[in-house]
Amino acid sequence: MFNTARRALFAALFAGVGGPVFAADLAEPPVVEEAPPQAVYEQPAPEYGGWYIRGDIDYHWSKFGGADYITYGTPPSTGTFATGTLKSAFSAGAGVGYQINQHFRTDLTADWLSSSNFRGSTNGFCGVAQTPCTSTDTSSYSALLLLANAYVDIGTWHGVTPYVGAGIGGAWMKWDTLHNSDSDGDFFHRGGRGWRFAYALMAGASYCLTDRVKLDVGYRYSHINGGKMFDYDSLSNVGPGYDNGINVHEVRGGLRYQFGRSDCAPPPEPYVPEPEPVYTK
């Protein structure tokens, strides 16, 4: 009986001491919390646009569209220039524009087309016997061309942006004195001047020189409507005369300075957030 009680006492003591030890050995590992997913910051699309200014020079050649004039004979009749050519010349211009987005822009331009010499001829009758004769006619024209333009920038590759565009506006045309010479003598007609309707088509490409400056080269075709070429001259009893319009072909080069963000500027560095710390219990 005593031995049984003693065994029970030892068993109770062993359970009291060994239980916590085994419990410590079987304790669960600490829980490690996973770091929350890193926040994703989408890089906003670069905003292009803003005001720009431009300056251009060009070499242009003009095509004379012909001209008609009145001859006050018996009866009055209408004559036509038999020939007419215009020499090439230089011009310069400036403008201000707005880049609406990466692919579309508009501007207002003013170009001064310097004097282009004219040489032509007319067929008529000279002298008392009214024998057929041919005159030689010389003059020159200059013009101030004002246009409102719109362009499509097709895309940018390695800093080069090809574009196409069109413009509409007006031209202030000035013809110098027309000198008419034939066997009857020399006659001078005061040149015509005034505003005319004009339009233009252009194509070219720009190249990034800096993050704000672009080199712009291209071709522009301009048409200036017809108008008065010269006034009536009482000595020759001829005039006024009206040209049928001028076609101008230009090879242009210039610079554009962008005040707003340009597609030449490198994209901003992407924002990379700091990793958040990991806490454990």
Side-chain angles (χ1 to χ4, degrees):
M1 184 68 179
F2 177 76
N3 291 333
T4 301
R6 189 169 54 184
R7 291 192 185 96
L9 178 61
F10 282 130
L13 291 174
F14 180 78
V17 175
V21 176
F22 287 125
D25 291 340
L26 298 177
E28 294 183 1
V31 178
V32 178
E33 291 186 0
E34 294 184 2
Q38 188 172 350
V40 177
Y41 295 88
E42 293 186 0
Q43 186 70 26
E47 295 182 358
Y48 298 99
W51 294 98
Y52 66 85
I53 55 175
R54 65 181 301 161
D56 302 276
I57 58 173
D58 78 56
Y59 180 78
H60 67 270
W61 57 100
S62 305
K63 184 176 180 181
F64 183 64
D68 302 318
Y69 56 90
I70 299 174
T71 299
Y72 291 93
T74 306
S77 61
T78 300
T80 300
F81 272 78
T83 62
T85 59
L86 287 162
K87 294 292 186 179
S88 55
F90 289 92
S91 66
V96 58
Y98 191 83
Q99 184 86 39
I100 298 174
N101 55 44
Q102 192 174 0
H103 297 288
F104 189 71
R105 59 187 169 89
T106 62
D107 60 31
L108 299 174
T109 55
D111 293 89
W112 177 252
L113 279 62
S114 61
S115 182
S116 178
N117 292 330
F118 169 80
R119 185 177 181 86
S121 65
T122 58
N123 297 322
F125 298 92
C126 300
V128 177
Q130 291 292 288
T131 56
C133 62
T134 299
S135 69
T136 298
D137 299 86
T138 58
S139 182
S140 63
Y141 92 91
S142 55
L144 173 64
L145 183 62
L146 303 178
L147 294 173
N149 309 289
Y151 310 86
V152 175
D153 292 328
I154 299 171
T156 301
W157 295 272
H158 305 289
V160 178
T161 305
Y163 65 84
V164 294
I168 189 171
W172 189 81
M173 280 278 297
K174 176 182 178 294
W175 280 101
D176 290 333
T177 299
L178 177 71
H179 178 199
N180 173 267
S181 177
D182 58 26
S183 58
D184 282 340
D186 294 320
F187 306 94
F188 298 89
H189 301 259
R190 183 176 181 270
R193 60 193 65 190
W195 286 99
R196 306 184 185 186
F197 174 77
Y199 66 87
L201 301 172
M202 61 281 288
S206 62
Y207 178 73
C208 298
L209 296 178
T210 71
D211 59 347
R212 290 186 181 271
V213 178
K214 287 185 176 183
L215 172 67
D216 190 323
V217 294
Y219 163 81
R220 183 171 75 178
Y221 163 80
S222 304
H223 175 76
I224 302 173
N225 270 14
K228 181 180 283 190
M229 182 179 179
F230 57 87
D231 288 334
Y232 169 74
D233 173 64
S234 58
L235 294 178
S236 63
N237 211 23
V238 173
Y242 297 86
D243 67 77
N244 298 322
I246 306 292
N247 294 322
V248 185
H249 303 271
E250 304 172 61
V251 177
R252 299 168 59 83
L255 297 174
R256 300 203 316 259
Y257 181 85
Q258 181 79 45
F259 290 100
R261 175 172 171 77
S262 168
D263 54 0
C264 294
E269 293 292 333
Y271 172 70
V272 179
E274 293 289 335
E276 298 187 4
V278 177
Y279 298 97
T280 61
K281 292 183 178 179

